[in-house]
Structure formats: C-alpha cells, structure tokens
Amino acid sequence: MKRRSIAVLLNVFFAAVLYGQSFQNIRGIVRDRLSGAPLEYATIAVVGTDPLLGAVSDSLGQFVVRNVPVGRYDVQVSFVGYEPLLVREVLLTAARETYLEALLTENANALDEVTVRPAVSKSQPLNTMVLGSARMFSVEEAGRYAGGFDDPARLASAFAGVAGSIGNNGIVVRGNSPKFLQWRLEGVEIPNPNHFAEVTTFGGGAMTAFSSHLLGNSDFFTGAFPAEYGNALSGVFDMNLRAGNNHRRESAFQIGAIGIDFASEGPLRSEGSASYIFNWRYSTLALLAPVLPENAGAVRYQDLSFKLNFPTRRAGVFSVWGIGLADRSGQKAKTDSTKWEYVNDRYEQTHEQHSGAFGANHTIGIRGNASLKTSLAATVSRLGFHTDRLDEDLRLKPENVIENTSWNFILSSFLNRKFSAGHTSRTGIRITGMKYDLLLGKTSDRQTIKNIADESGFSALLSACSSSSFTLSDAWTLNLGIHAQVFSLNGRYAVEPRAGVRWKFRPRHSAGLSYGLHSRMEMLYYYFTKSATGERMNRNLDFTRAHHLAGTYDWDVADDCHLRIEPYVQYLFSVPVVPGSSFSFINLQRDWFVSDKLENSGKGLNCGIELTFEKYLSRGYYYMYTASLFDSRYRAGDGVWRNTRYNRNFVFNLLAGKEWMTGRAGQNAVNAGIRFTYQGGDRHSPVDEAASQRAQEAVYSEENAFADRYPPTFVCHFTVSYRINRKKSAHEFALKMINATMSREYYGHLYNFKTGRTDVDSEAMIVPNISYRVEF
C-alpha cells in the first residue's frame, strides 16, 4: 500500500515538472443575498475537476479551494435551505488567486423533495431589489469581449438597449442622452470617471479611469431603477472595487501602445486580515498618432486607484478607497493662413482636467439578519479649457474659456434588514454638499470674453429612500419602494414611487414588470446663467423627470443559454427648453455656452423592444446576440414633436469568442473574440447654406431640427490574446482593435473657407492596442 501511494505521488510530481502544470487557489466568502450575513458550512465545488475539488465555508463564511489546476471553471455553491448558485466562467491564472463572493437566496417556502436548479450568477444583478432592466457584468468580460477595451462603458455598448460610439465611450441608453447616465463607486455617486470627460460628449469621454485590476463584479441598469438610485434618468453604472488579497502579495505590469500600467495587492501585515490593492496607469497616444486624428498624439493622461480593507471580528468591515485622474491635451493654430480650411485650423487650445473620488466605508452586521453600511466621501472635478483664435493679422484673440471646479461631500447610511425569507427591506439617507467655483465665458465680438456664468458658493442635494422585497410564493416576487430628494439651491423637490413584480410561471420561464418615476438635476453652471443685466435667469430650474415602465421575459433555454426580451416606454417631462425654439436639453451633446432663459416645459417619449440571446462560456466558446428597435422623440418650446438627436431606431450586435487551452498540460490559453455592430446614424439638423456663407460657419435650420440623419454604421472590433501560465507567473500578449472596418464617425458640419460651403465633419478612426502583461 505504501509503495503504491509513493508511486502515485512520484507520478504526480514528475507530471507537474515535465508538463509544467500550474495550480492556484480559489478563495471567497458565502453570504445571505438579502441580509449579507455569512453562511457557515456552505459547500463549494469546482465543476469539471477530477477528482472533484471543493471546500466548506467556515464560521465567517470564508472558504478556500486549494491547488486547482489553472484554467476556466464553473463553481457551484450550495447550502441547506438556500437555492444553489452556479458562478460561471471563473478564470484561474498561475500568478493570482481568484476571489469569489457568493450570494445565496434563501428558499422562502418549503420545497418538499423538489429539485432546485442552481441560479446562474451572470443572469442575476448584484442588487437584490432589481427585477428587470439590469445586468451584472464582470471586469473580466470587459477584457475578453471584443470592443470592451477594459472599459465598462464600451463593454455596455454591446448590451441590448445601448448604442455606443468609436471616438468616445459615451453611451445612449434607450434613446436618452449620455448626460443622463449616473456613475456610482462603492455606493457613492461620482463625477464622470472618464478621461477627457464632457469634452467630446456630455456623459462620456475617451476612456475610463477604472482599472480592470481593481474592479469587482458590478451592475448596469437601463431603466426603472430601484428606490436607492436617485438623480438618474437613462442608466446607472454601480461599480465596486474588490478587496486585495490578504494572504499573499501579487503584482502585475503591463506595457502597450497606449501606455503603461502597474498594479499590486497583498496583506498590510504578515499577520491579520487587512489588505491593500492599487493600480497606477500612465498613457500617451504618441505611438498611435499616425492612425488617430490630428493633434491626438499630444494627449497625455494618468490615473490612480486604490482600496484598503480592514475586516474585524466584531466591529464590521472598514475600507478606505479612492480614484483620481489627470488629463492634458491641446493644439496649436496653423500660422500659415493659406492652410486655413476650417475654423479648427485657427484655434489654439489648452485643456487640463483633474477629478477624483475618495471615501471611507463601514459595514457591520446586526443580529445576523441586518447590516448597516455608512459612507463618508468627497469628490472633486476641475476642468480648465481655453480656446483662442487667430485673426486675419495672425494675432490670437480669446474665443471661450471654461474654468470649473466642483467639490461634493457625501454622507450616506443604509440599513438592510431581512425580516424573513420572504421579506427584506433597505432604507437609507444621502446628504450631498456641493461646493462650486464656476466660470464660463464666450466672446461675441472676438475681442473680449463675456461671462455667461461666474459663481462661487455652496448648495446641497438631500435624498432618502426605502424599499421592500416580498417573496409571496415560489412563483411571485413583489418589490415596492419610494425615493425623495430636494435641491436646496431653489427648493425644488421630487417624490418618486418605484415598483416591480416578477412571475416565475415555469422552472425556466419568468415574466416581470417594473415601474419608476425618476428625476435628475442639471449641471450646476446652467443654474447660474446670467442675462445682460446680470440676473441669474435659470436659478429656479426644476428637475428633469421621467416615468419608466419596462416589461421583462426571461427564458433559460439551456443551462448555458439565456434569452431575454424587454419592451419599454419612457415618458420624460419637465425638460428644460428655450421658449418658442426647437432647443431642448434632451439633445445636449457638448453645449457648454447656453445663455438663454430656460423653462421646464419640454417633453420626450422613448419606446422600444430589446432582445438578448446569450450563450455563456462553456465548451470553450461563447456568443451573444442583441437587437434593439426603438423610437425617441421630443417636444421643445415651440410645441412641435421631433426626432431626438439620438433616435437611431435600431442597434444590432453579434459578439462571439473562442478559448483554446494549449500547452503540454493545457495550462496556457489562446483567446479570440470578435464583435459586429450595425446601428442607425445619429440625427442632425439640415444645414442652411446661405446663412452659413454669410456667417462663415455652419448654421443649421432649427425649425427643421434633427430632420436629417447620418448614414448607418457597420463596425467590427476584435481581440486576440495568448496567456502563458508558469509556476509563479503569468504572461499575456494581446492585440485589441477598435473599428477594424474603418467605419466613419460623424461629428457635425464645418464651414470650408476654401470652397465657401459646409462639409460633413467625419473621421474613419482605428484604435489598436498591442500589449504585454506579466503577473507575478
């Protein structure tokens, strides 16, 4: 018997040496999905291992599955009295332990010898108060999916109901302007977290400042949000930072065509459970200048993000987190007037931008059936944008100036309580203090700058919410909630009911209906627009508001395939418009210098239907098809209903990928992914050629606003990577390409000084990134 055991051990040892087999651990925690309480004695099994590898959670809900061969697995988590959970597509690499947070749902009713199918983690949002119009996504998908480019916003553009762009990551959700999108980090609303935010389009930027190394699983909402989400109209990104490994140090370094990236994590002390994780990135587009627009090679940006985590046995979990970014770009005017073709050739610009969010969270369990999460945070956003214009004598004259700095100070506290397996509630408050220093000016005579807004001060947005989820039976779930907020600057307030119901009429089929009334305040400087006499014309602007109604049908076609169909209607009202004009805030793109008196009489109507058919990664491949058909219209101050700027009418996506395990022991991986997108073009107003010639700049026919449209676009993105797993390190070589088809993107119109006519402003831009990454 001893000889046989020794022989087996020797065979395992020499197989590992000869074939280079690498192993890794899976760590994690099992919690009750509703209360957040840890679950002891839960069973964890790594599906597909032979012999079957697994573990049992301890008194803190924590577990570790040791010495799992590197590769990709599904992990099943089970606990008596709870629905089993299947966590799909878990990737194990040689250099980093994998951490999972498994949230199990208690069976509300007795299940006498009924076989319960495991819930699939990818099909459930993390937020327990959501019954539709939401999706959980992992940062690993952002790197693996073609077109994701390690960017949550670009990844979301592959989802149903979302239309994206090439040159920026601003996304149109169900026909709404990107400016209506809300970003949250660690439960706190933060400024637009993109590099060069609000410059190319409100609500978007060039690339996210989030690091794929730090992000944990997160939620993306497209409508009818739960009660805890206020101050949002179109969509919500609810992002989470993961805690660092508190058992061993792990680092990663990446270098590529767009810059360098360094990350590290590990325990703060050799003994104890506290951990750190951080990521720093510096990027320059100089190497890509030949394939990017003119002056893009001068772009520089960098970001830093971190999280410190301090678990305790009795006092709960404390964490300190932050993210910051800095951007710089500019362009020089052409001093040879014979080369002036468009007005941009005469512009000299400098652009500097800094923003960040920093906070501290405390989460503590109460009596095993409740948890209290309190957050204290500060956010800052500064934009300096100066534009000068060369006159006929080659002298620079001021054109416009933006110098905005905003600080937000946020205190929030939310109590999550599980009264029973069939009833849970979430109640909280949020206080946001806003300190601002705003300056926007524009020239009217190309000699001096006239300030449109010039204001410093402090205001506050106060909000409270409460919601409850009721499991009425095995088939029926009901969610009810209410949200209220008040803006201290002008006393405007909103009270917003939320509701949702889901009916699981067959084991693999369910249907739901969600409703919500939502509102959002405008960017602060719009409230301080000055008239010629210095009056603040728009100080009393109300919230823009919207009713959301969305249906959901889900069908688990197979264990690894899912179909979702969602029809929806959104009715927007109280939208700021200019009386007697076709102008509406629904169509804002990058309209900084709005100097008109506004009123909240505008309306909007978005309706459509969305389809998603997804095969999760299994047997080495995955694919997802999404189709969105929609109509987006608005009524401005002149009372006429028109197409909105973002009424593309249709978006179709086909995304697919394949993973091959290679190497003598199958420890290496080749990944290839491709995505095709076909979508309608944005709307635009017809150009008034006669008026444009007189003004020598593009002038639009506003009475026919958004009557024309740009051509549809067909875009292809692809990703190819090769990962080599060694005993204590992993190496990855990757090529990620955005817009491999060189499709043109349209930005508007420019007056051509040489021809005396207006030209369409468009570019066919391709964005490649060749990178090498090492984890150790």
Side-chain angles (χ1 to χ4, degrees), residues 117-261:
R117 294 178 56 254
V120 178
S121 59
K122 286 175 63 68
S123 64
Q124 300 181 14
L126 300 177
N127 192 301
T128 59
M129 296 292 173
V130 181
L131 296 181
S133 297
R135 177 191 173 106
M136 186 274 286
F137 67 93
S138 70
V139 70
E140 192 266 338
E141 290 176 331
R144 173 162 48 92
Y145 284 7
F149 228 61
D150 299 309
D151 186 333
R154 292 189 184 273
L155 169 66
S157 66
F159 299 159
V162 182
S165 302
I166 300 169
N168 65 76
N169 66 0
I171 56 173
V172 175
V173 180
R174 293 182 172 176
N176 289 291
S177 167
K179 89 179 191 71
F180 291 138
L181 184 71
Q182 183 188 103
W183 290 87
R184 283 196 177 191
L185 181 62
E186 294 288 301
V188 175
E189 182 178 355
I190 63 173
N192 184 336
N194 293 300
H195 290 286
F196 305 102
E198 323 294 3
V199 177
T200 55
T201 185
F202 288 165
M207 182 178 294
T208 181
F210 288 126
S211 162
S212 61
H213 187 82
L214 262 74
L215 281 180
N217 291 343
S218 304
D219 281 339
F220 175 61
F221 304 90
T222 55
F225 323 122
E228 66 193 86
Y229 298 98
N231 200 35
L233 283 184
S234 68
V236 176
F237 274 108
D238 194 353
M239 316 297 292
N240 297 298
L241 299 178
R242 67 181 183 88
N245 191 327
N246 60 4
H247 293 275
R248 72 181 195 187
R249 300 194 188 282
E250 300 169 342
S251 300
F253 175 77
Q254 178 173 305
I255 185 169
I258 62 173
I260 60 174
D261 197 309

Side-chain angles (χ1 to χ4, degrees), residues 645-716:
R645 179 193 301 275
Y646 305 103
N647 190 15
R648 297 189 173 189
N649 291 127
F650 63 88
V651 182
F652 302 107
N653 285 287
L654 177 60
L655 182 150
K658 173 68 176 173
E659 184 175 70
W660 296 270
M661 303 308 295
T662 65
R664 291 183 177 180
Q667 78 277 17
N668 302 328
V670 176
N671 277 281
I674 194 166
R675 172 182 156 194
F676 300 100
T677 298
Y678 182 61
Q679 61 185 16
D682 276 343
R683 306 277 178 164
H684 68 89
S685 303
V687 174
D688 186 331
E689 287 290 350
S692 298
Q693 289 176 356
R694 290 193 297 271
Q696 292 199 333
E697 62 181 24
V699 178
Y700 295 96
S701 174
E702 294 302 334
E703 63 270 18
N704 298 309
F706 306 108
D708 292 347
R709 68 188 309 170
Y710 298 114
T713 57
F714 176 76
V715 183
C716 173

Side-chain angles (χ1 to χ4, degrees), residues 499-761:
V501 63
R502 181 172 60 200
W503 175 36
K504 191 171 184 178
F505 54 94
R506 288 185 180 179
R508 291 180 177 267
H509 299 261
S510 66
L513 187 67
S514 300
Y515 164 78
L517 174 60
H518 307 278
S519 62
R520 184 168 176 83
M521 61 177 287
E522 301 301 332
M523 296 180 180
L524 276 174
Y525 52 84
Y526 288 127
Y527 294 92
F528 302 112
T529 302
K530 292 183 178 180
S531 67
T533 61
E535 175 193 4
R536 299 182 185 90
M537 299 181 292
N538 301 317
R539 185 183 180 91
N540 290 318
L541 272 182
D542 200 354
F543 298 109
T544 299
R545 305 169 190 252
H547 293 285
H548 288 193
L549 181 65
T552 303
Y553 167 68
D554 286 295
W555 176 20
D556 291 328
V557 181
D559 289 343
D560 59 355
C561 292
H562 185 80
L563 172 70
R564 170 171 286 187
I565 300 174
E566 291 190 294
Y568 67 88
V569 176
Q570 298 178 347
Y571 175 68
L572 288 78
F573 61 102
S574 188
V575 181
V577 296
V578 175
S581 164
S582 62
F583 177 86
S584 169
F585 269 36
I586 279 180
N587 300 305
L588 286 185
Q589 191 175 44
R590 48 182 182 272
D591 307 84
W592 288 96
F593 306 102
V594 177
S595 56
D596 301 282
K597 182 175 178 59
L598 303 168
E599 65 178 25
N600 291 99
S601 62
K603 300 182 184 300
L605 181 64
N606 302 322
C607 57
I609 187 168
E610 303 161 0
L611 179 146
T612 301
F613 185 79
E614 182 174 10
K615 180 194 175 297
Y616 308 134
L617 199 160
S618 62
R619 301 184 297 278
Y621 72 98
Y622 61 92
Y623 60 83
M624 180 172 67
Y625 172 73
T626 65
S628 306
L629 301 175
F630 62 96
D631 190 56
S632 177
R633 297 182 177 273
Y634 81 103
R635 193 186 79 177
D638 58 3
V640 179
W641 282 93
R642 299 179 174 89
N643 291 301
T644 69
R645 179 193 301 275
Y646 305 103
N647 190 15
R648 297 189 173 189
N649 291 127
F650 63 88
V651 182
F652 302 107
N653 285 287
L654 177 60
L655 182 150
K658 173 68 176 173
E659 184 175 70
W660 296 270
M661 303 308 295
T662 65
R664 291 183 177 180
Q667 78 277 17
N668 302 328
V670 176
N671 277 281
I674 194 166
R675 172 182 156 194
F676 300 100
T677 298
Y678 182 61
Q679 61 185 16
D682 276 343
R683 306 277 178 164
H684 68 89
S685 303
V687 174
D688 186 331
E689 287 290 350
S692 298
Q693 289 176 356
R694 290 193 297 271
Q696 292 199 333
E697 62 181 24
V699 178
Y700 295 96
S701 174
E702 294 302 334
E703 63 270 18
N704 298 309
F706 306 108
D708 292 347
R709 68 188 309 170
Y710 298 114
T713 57
F714 176 76
V715 183
C716 173
H717 314 300
F718 71 83
T719 296
V720 179
S721 66
Y722 178 46
R723 175 178 285 271
I724 304 170
N725 285 298
R726 297 302 186 211
K727 187 175 181 180
K728 293 185 179 181
S729 65
H731 308 261
E732 184 180 79
F733 302 87
L735 170 62
K736 299 180 180 181
M737 189 80 71
I738 289 181
N739 194 23
T741 47
M742 294 288 288
S743 299
R744 301 195 74 83
E745 189 163 53
Y746 298 88
Y747 306 110
H749 297 79
L750 293 172
Y751 182 78
N752 191 317
F753 297 122
K754 294 184 180 293
T755 64
R757 300 187 61 82
T758 54
D759 296 337
V760 176
D761 182 16

Side-chain angles (χ1 to χ4, degrees), residues 45-106:
V46 182
V47 180
T49 54
D50 186 15
L52 185 66
L53 298 176
V56 176
S57 61
D58 62 18
S59 61
L60 299 177
Q62 298 175 350
F63 67 88
V64 55
V65 184
R66 300 185 184 277
N67 299 321
V68 183
V70 298
R72 194 179 292 274
Y73 300 93
D74 293 341
V75 178
Q76 183 161 321
V77 185
S78 307
F79 187 67
V80 176
Y82 284 71
E83 297 179 10
L85 176 71
L86 186 65
V87 183
R88 285 197 172 272
E89 306 175 4
V90 177
L91 178 65
L92 262 69
T93 64
R96 288 171 55 187
E97 291 186 332
T98 296
Y99 186 85
L100 301 178
E101 184 172 7
L103 304 176
L104 302 189
T105 301
E106 186 176 4

